[in-house]
């Protein structure tokens, strides 16, 4: 025998409604936390520098494993650029004396 009791039907729909609301609240909290993390990342320059330094270090290590000659070439190129800058700076200082 199936009796239709409107009070029981409403109670069942309320439970589903509450669980839906709880799930929606969890999703909203997760989205809010994600937004706060993004804002913190944008405003925290030291954190950005730290993350970018780690990425660069990882990329250079990976390049060194994949192609050591390319890594040596990059290092020599960087040393050459620094040497030229120092040379021009030193020569400008000695000319102005």
């Amino acid at each position: 025998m199936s009796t239709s009791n409107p009070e029981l039907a409403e109670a069942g729909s309320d439970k589903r409604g509450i669980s839906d609301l709880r799930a929606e609240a969890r999703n909203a909290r997760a989205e809010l936390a994600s937004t706060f993390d993004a804002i913190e990342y944008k405003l925290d320059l030291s954190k950005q520098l730290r993350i970018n330094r780690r990425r660069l270090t990882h990329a250079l290590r990976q390049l060194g494993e994949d192609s050591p000659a390319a890594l040596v070439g990059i290092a020599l190129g960087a040393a050459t650029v620094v040497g030229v800058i120092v040379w021009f700076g030193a020569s400008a200082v000695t000319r102005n004396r």
Side-chain angles (χ1 to χ4, degrees):
M1 255 191 231
S2 163
T3 59
S4 178
N5 189 345
E7 290 177 7
L8 289 177
E10 285 181 25
S13 67
D14 285 345
K15 287 183 182 178
R16 278 185 273 147
I18 289 173
S19 64
D20 289 341
L21 289 174
R22 287 182 178 159
E24 188 176 324
R26 275 193 305 272
N27 291 338
R29 280 194 293 276
E31 186 177 330
L32 184 60
S34 174
T35 302
F36 282 142
D37 288 342
I39 291 170
E40 178 188 12
Y41 176 76
K42 291 270 187 188
L43 296 177
D44 192 357
L45 295 179
S46 65
K47 188 174 187 177
Q48 286 183 12
L49 290 173
R50 192 170 46 249
I51 290 171
N52 288 330
R53 188 188 74 224
R54 287 179 186 160
R55 286 180 182 163
L56 178 64
T57 302
H58 177 71
L60 288 174
R61 284 185 182 158
Q62 189 66 37
L63 180 64
E65 290 175 4
D66 294 344
S67 177
L71 186 60
V72 169
I74 290 172
L76 288 175
T80 302
V81 169
V82 169
V84 167
I85 291 172
V86 169
W87 177 266
F88 282 131
S91 65
V93 168
T94 56
R95 267 188 268 147
N96 290 333
R97 284 189 178 202

